[in-house]
Amino acid sequence: MADSKEIKKCALITGGSRGIGRAVCIQLATDHDYHLLINYNSNKDAALETLKFVEEVGGSAEIIQFDVVDAEGVKATLSKWEDDNADAIVEVIVNNAGITKDGLFMWMKPEDWSDVINTSLNGFFNVTNHFIQKLLVNKYGRIINMVSVSGLKGTPGQTNYSAAKGAVIAATKALAQEIAKRNITVNAVAPGFIKTDMTRELNEKELKRMIPANRFGEAEEVAHVVSFLASKKSSYITGETININGGIYS
């Protein structure tokens, strides 16, 4: 069916208000023409600040509030957005939302286990599953999952986070094979120690000794890789996990 209206191509970034998510939003706005959906859960001020940064580099964006864990909430919010934006299509999904609740496994509370698993793993399902049929019909898409060095090598004190991110890595590999024929790629990006709010409490001076590059990474260094994976240039890369960790064994 011919449509005189131009389709507005969009990219959704979950947990886009701060840290790596914010850096990804700014980089995507710099490198691409996508209209960005900057998802946040509770920190609206931070999301609005990200929106301001995106607009400052010439990008187009809006903020969208939902908790990736809440399946019904995700469905309701995204369905309403789609109804309100009938001329738009989400081509790029960056599943970045994640939390840590670190502690030794022997003392881990059940909610610290389930909250971390639910945010990373179920969040990936809730958001990606909502769009997957539309991506398949569109015969084009980029799904990029933010994982972690913890999901590859395991990190003591992070059994819950390592389990969550390891599961997303496995899901990335499986889904990539299911939908590759439709020109949809699914890749994971695994940061090591990156300077963000999440790592602020860590002893950088002590930890950088175990990093061959001898420093923590910058959020922008992660964002450049995500931006590449969101582009047409990455069309023959799928099912991969790209490490950005300064050489830490993984």
Side-chain angles (χ1 to χ4, degrees):
M1 190 172 75
D3 190 347
S4 57
K5 264 189 175 181
E6 193 177 330
I7 296 292
K8 181 166 71 173
K9 295 182 177 183
C10 305
L12 169 66
I13 303 91
T14 68
S17 61
R18 293 181 297 163
I20 289 173
R22 171 178 288 180
V24 166
C25 289
I26 296 167
Q27 200 61 53
L28 289 177
T30 303
D31 296 344
H32 303 274
D33 292 329
Y34 284 115
H35 175 74
L36 305 185
L37 305 182
I38 303 166
N39 160 254
Y40 70 99
N41 181 18
S42 56
N43 196 335
K44 186 176 182 179
D45 289 343
L48 288 168
E49 198 174 12
T50 301
L51 176 61
K52 180 168 73 79
F53 289 137
V54 163
E55 289 172 342
E56 281 172 3
V57 299
S60 159
E62 65 188 277
I63 63 171
I64 184 165
Q65 193 278 327
F66 58 82
D67 180 356
V68 297
V69 174
D70 177 8
E72 289 305 313
V74 169
K75 189 176 179 183
T77 303
L78 292 176
S79 295
K80 181 180 187 306
W81 181 87
E82 287 170 323
D83 290 344
D84 294 343
N85 296 272
D87 60 333
I89 185 161
V90 173
E91 281 193 349
V92 175
I93 303 165
V94 182
N95 289 301
N96 172 71
I99 59 168
T100 54
K101 291 194 174 182
D102 296 353
L104 292 177
F105 186 74
M106 61 192 271
W107 291 315
M108 191 169 285
K109 296 172 185 164
E111 59 269 27
D112 289 351
W113 173 266
S114 55
D115 288 353
V116 170
I117 298 279
N118 285 343
T119 306
S120 284
L121 185 58
N122 294 356
F124 153 77
F125 175 84
N126 293 337
V127 173
T128 309
N129 186 258
H130 179 84
F131 289 111
I132 198 69
Q133 288 189 0
K134 298 173 188 76
L135 290 174
L136 289 165
V137 169
N138 190 38
K139 293 183 182 170
Y140 182 82
R142 297 285 182 263
I143 300 166
I144 302 150
N145 299 322
M146 198 62 60
V147 292
S148 169
V149 65
S150 298
L152 287 154
K153 76 173 195 62
T155 300
Q158 286 195 326
T159 301
N160 49 0
Y161 191 68
S162 299
K165 295 303 188 182
V168 175
I169 290 167
T172 298
K173 293 175 181 178
L175 182 59
Q177 294 173 67
E178 289 184 17
I179 60 180
K181 283 181 182 172
R182 290 296 179 108
N183 202 20
I184 305 165
T185 64
V186 191
N187 290 292
V189 173
F193 292 104
I194 307 294
K195 287 181 186 173
T196 64
D197 291 348
M198 209 182 249
T199 59
R200 187 172 288 154
E201 302 302 313
L202 301 177
N203 186 338
E204 184 176 346
K205 192 177 175 184
E206 189 70 32
L207 286 168
K208 72 179 187 180
R209 291 178 189 166
M210 62 186 266
I211 305 168
N214 199 37
R215 66 176 178 87
F216 276 23
E218 302 290 341
E220 292 73 22
E221 293 176 296
V222 179
H224 280 294
V225 176
V226 174
S227 180
F228 169 68
L229 291 173
S231 75
K232 288 186 164 66
K233 296 171 186 173
S234 66
S235 57
Y236 205 53
I237 302 170
T238 196
E240 281 300 314
T241 302
I242 299 177
N243 294 293
I244 309 174
N245 59 30
I248 294 174
Y249 168 75
S250 60

